[in-house]
Amino acid sequence: MPTLKDLAKQKDPLSGGHRACAGCGAPIVVRQVLMASKDPVVVTCATGCLEVVTTIFPYTAWNVPFLHNAFENSAATCSGVEAAYQSLKRKGKIKSDHINFVAFGGDGGTYDIGFQSLSGAMERGHDMLYVCYNNEAYMNTGIQRSSATPKGAATTTAPAGKKIPGKQQFSKNLTEIMVAHDLPYVAQSAVGFWRDLTTKAEKAFSIRGPKFMNVLQPCRLGWAYDPSKTAELGRLAADTCIWPLYEVENGKYKLSYKPKEKKPVTEFLKVQDRFRHLKKPGNEAIIESIQKETDRRWEALLAKCEQ
């Protein structure tokens, strides 16, 4: 399990001076995941917030080998690089003991546009880790809804108005879809839990084969909150069980965090402007449905974890 002292000794994989918004959780996810690797890393990254703010030509914030690719194919690119590495290693042209290959993608480039390449790479069994930095919408292109956007959230393509009170559907459970791929390791974490995130990343890197991590990353622009509250929001998501922290290793579920007191979902919703319309009279049923679905998913997870 990595300690703060261990992480402090690691070379920073991402330099300061990038152009992410104040309070953005994406650089936190990148640093904490990559600093958990004891071996060299190669990163591929889908078009999105992370790529845009770290690679504005002719500059780069990356201190590790980095490949930018299209919105839809971060996993495919990473799998190709990994396959090339394995081929060169068999031919004796690469002497490195091991390299960790990591693909990053936002929820738009993972849940939706990039889902096909992600599923294909995982099914083929490439030795790589895919990390979804999940801010629950297409934030880079104007805050459009994605299939990761939670019910009731207002976005530019699912606006809150007189007829439609934000997105009408619940978010897709991509973590469970990845579990269904029979991967050796799948995990969920969130910004605000550095030890949980780095420990899971370290475990993922120690396992050979395809791995997937889904990390909730509050977006101060699309979620509309005080940028100093990013880590606090990640913790609130876990304390309300809207975003449980757990891992699945070789099919066995393990709960990573169980709140001492399960808070109502309103504690998470009320501090974000994307849900402010739900405070208006007439929207009580939406909040009730969010609470009911959160409870249902939480109880189902507890059963799988035998808790």
Side-chain angles (χ1 to χ4, degrees), residues 185 187-188 196 200 245-247 254-258 305:
Y185 189 72
Q188 250 186 210
D196 179 80
K200 286 173 177 171
L245 309 186
Y246 69 101
E247 60 186 354
K254 180 182 178 182
L255 195 66
S256 311
Y257 176 78
K258 188 174 184 179
C305 296

Side-chain angles (χ1 to χ4, degrees), residues 218-237 240 242 263-279 287:
C219 172
R220 56 89 38 221
L221 180 65
W223 295 20
Y225 62 88
D226 182 333
S228 68
K229 304 295 185 182
T230 296
E232 183 179 317
L233 264 174
R235 290 190 285 267
L236 258 179
T240 55
I242 281 178
K263 297 180 179 180
V265 296
T266 49
E267 294 298 302
F268 179 71
L269 305 179
K270 70 182 182 181
V271 292
Q272 305 169 61
D273 278 359
R274 63 175 176 162
F275 295 112
R276 65 183 176 181
H277 55 284
L278 297 182
K279 300 175 184 178
I287 296 175

